[in-house]
Amino acid sequence: MNFLKKIRNYLFYCGIERVEYNAIKKNAYISNFVIWRSLHYLMAATFLVLYFISLSTSVVRHNALLYLLGTIYSVAVIILFSFLKKDSLIAQFIIYISISLLFLFGGFVSLNNPNVPAATFIVFLLITPLFMIDKPFFMAIELSVVAAIFLIYMHGVKPENIWKIDLVNVVTFTIVGIFFNVIENAIRIKEFVLTREIKIQKDSDELTGLKNKGALTREINKYLQNKTNNKGIMFMLDIDKFKKINDTYGHDIGDSVINQLGTFLANTFISNEIVGRFGGDEFIVFIKDTDDLEAARKKAAELVSGAAETIHLPVAGEKVSISIGVAIYLGIENNYSELFKKADIALYEAKADPNNRFYIFE
């Protein structure tokens, strides 16, 4: 069963588990986009050169239209790619169409001289899979289908002895191409997995597992600097009398309190919010695409009461409280620091009022 599971993972998830593959699939799509955008420039230039050669060479003159259509197609894809997102499924689909057209081109080249074994088509069987990162199952289907079509069509066109050579070569190199694609995908995908793990480690707070200060700053800045985003709410939280907790119970308990608050926030915000530990006992939560003042009040109250119920100290009955400063983003602030200052001022006001543990900057 383990062997069959490994085969499944290699064919469908590039040698890793499904959850891992889905986590880095976007990176693979972006890589395909970048590679094939460059390849389409090369295809356009190659087809254009072949077109001009065909105009002056009688041997390949009958292929002139094919070369011209290849040039037009490649240029059209280059233009289309300038409007598509790099991780777009449409871009992936277009890439598979381009692969199919390359095989078609290889077939037409073979027709130029049917008395010799196919060479260009075989080269494409080996080379093309190396430039595509996707579930190898899809490439296996692609190679098998084009190989079958090529052999069926050429059976009535090429001499019997040449066709038999093509049969052996095409079947052999289809299998080799699939194998190459499986191995290449496994290697490249594992590179993406490793890169992702390094990024997570670099961006994670060691104590809570939430985003650290650097990741918070970068992601919130990215959101604020996108001019289409003009709504957001920043919560700045800290633990009341945290120094006293450390002095009374020790730093291990202090770390436990911070960890418990981090876990509480992680379990509370599970959608598209940006949540992290700014430093010490201070945390930041940024909620995107809303400026609802009443919702901000309600959420702040829920955080205050939830933290008191969730965070535990060694002595029964002892409660931990938090204070929250809230800043509403209305598209005015240009960066993280400007919004942070308003949340920090609001937090100062909240800590000054023991009867109201949160304050909204106005």
Side-chain angles (χ1 to χ4, degrees), residues 83-346:
F83 296 99
L84 293 174
K85 291 183 178 180
K86 291 182 178 180
D87 59 341
S88 167
L89 284 175
I90 297 175
Q92 288 287 109
F93 179 71
I94 292 172
I95 291 170
Y96 274 110
I97 291 176
S98 297
I99 292 173
S100 299
L101 291 177
L102 284 175
F103 285 121
L104 184 64
F105 171 71
F108 276 116
V109 170
S110 184
L111 284 174
N112 286 334
N113 195 348
N115 294 314
V116 298
T120 305
F121 186 82
I122 297 296
V123 170
F124 283 142
L125 284 174
L126 286 174
I127 298 300
T128 307
L130 299 178
F131 293 98
M132 191 65 181
I133 307 173
D134 199 1
K135 295 179 179 180
F137 176 73
F138 293 147
M139 184 56 70
I141 292 175
E142 170 89 19
L143 295 181
S144 299
V145 169
V146 297
I149 292 173
F150 177 83
L151 290 172
I152 291 170
Y153 183 79
M154 292 298 177
H155 184 264
V157 175
K158 291 195 170 190
E160 187 71 16
N161 62 322
I162 299 299
W163 183 86
K164 287 181 178 179
I165 294 173
D166 279 349
L167 174 64
V168 173
N169 287 339
V170 168
V171 171
T172 300
F173 287 107
T174 296
I175 295 171
V176 173
I178 292 171
F179 178 76
F180 278 179
N181 184 249
V182 169
I183 298 302
E184 184 258 352
N185 270 259
I187 293 172
R188 293 289 305 280
I189 285 293
K190 284 175 182 176
E191 288 179 4
F192 289 132
V193 171
L194 181 60
T195 301
R196 179 173 178 267
E197 289 175 351
I198 292 172
K199 184 177 183 297
I200 290 173
Q201 290 176 2
K202 185 184 74 172
D203 290 347
S204 296
D205 173 61
E206 291 184 6
L207 184 57
T208 64
L210 298 176
K211 298 183 188 301
N212 57 24
K213 180 180 178 181
L216 282 170
T217 304
R218 183 179 64 253
E219 292 196 19
I220 295 176
N221 262 333
K222 183 179 178 181
Y223 181 84
L224 299 181
Q225 289 167 7
N226 185 336
K227 300 304 180 183
T228 63
N229 300 324
N230 56 11
K231 294 180 181 180
I233 303 174
M234 177 182 281
F235 295 89
M236 185 174 182
L237 311 84
D238 83 349
I239 300 167
D240 297 325
K241 300 178 182 178
F242 182 69
K243 184 177 184 303
K244 183 179 178 181
I245 294 174
N246 272 333
D247 293 342
T248 304
Y249 300 105
H251 288 278
D252 287 346
I253 299 300
D255 286 348
S256 174
V257 168
I258 290 174
N259 193 30
Q260 289 179 66
L261 178 55
T263 301
F264 167 66
L265 294 175
N267 292 335
T268 301
F269 299 98
I270 56 175
S271 297
N272 196 28
E273 303 90 355
I274 301 172
V275 185
R277 181 184 174 205
F278 181 76
D281 62 319
E282 293 182 330
F283 292 77
I284 296 288
V285 176
F286 185 82
I287 303 177
K288 303 176 183 178
D289 301 321
T290 180
D291 57 1
D292 189 327
L293 204 59
E294 190 56 39
R297 289 194 181 94
K298 183 179 179 181
K299 179 57 69 176
E302 289 175 358
L303 291 174
V304 170
S305 61
E309 294 170 3
T310 304
I311 302 172
H312 302 288
L313 289 171
V315 178
E318 288 286 332
K319 295 286 186 180
V320 172
S321 66
I322 64 171
S323 295
I324 305 175
V326 184
I328 309 296
Y329 173 62
L330 300 173
I332 299 173
E333 294 80 9
N334 295 314
N335 55 53
Y336 170 86
S337 297
E338 293 179 14
L339 192 62
F340 175 86
K341 288 177 183 177
K342 294 182 179 180
D344 193 34
I345 293 170

Side-chain angles (χ1 to χ4, degrees), residues 41-55 64 66-72 74-75:
Y41 278 104
L42 178 61
M43 288 166 59
T46 302
F47 281 125
L48 186 62
V49 169
L50 289 173
Y51 173 70
F52 284 118
I53 290 175
S54 68
L55 295 180
L66 173 67
Y67 299 146
L68 180 60
L69 291 175
T71 304
I72 294 171
S74 300
V75 171

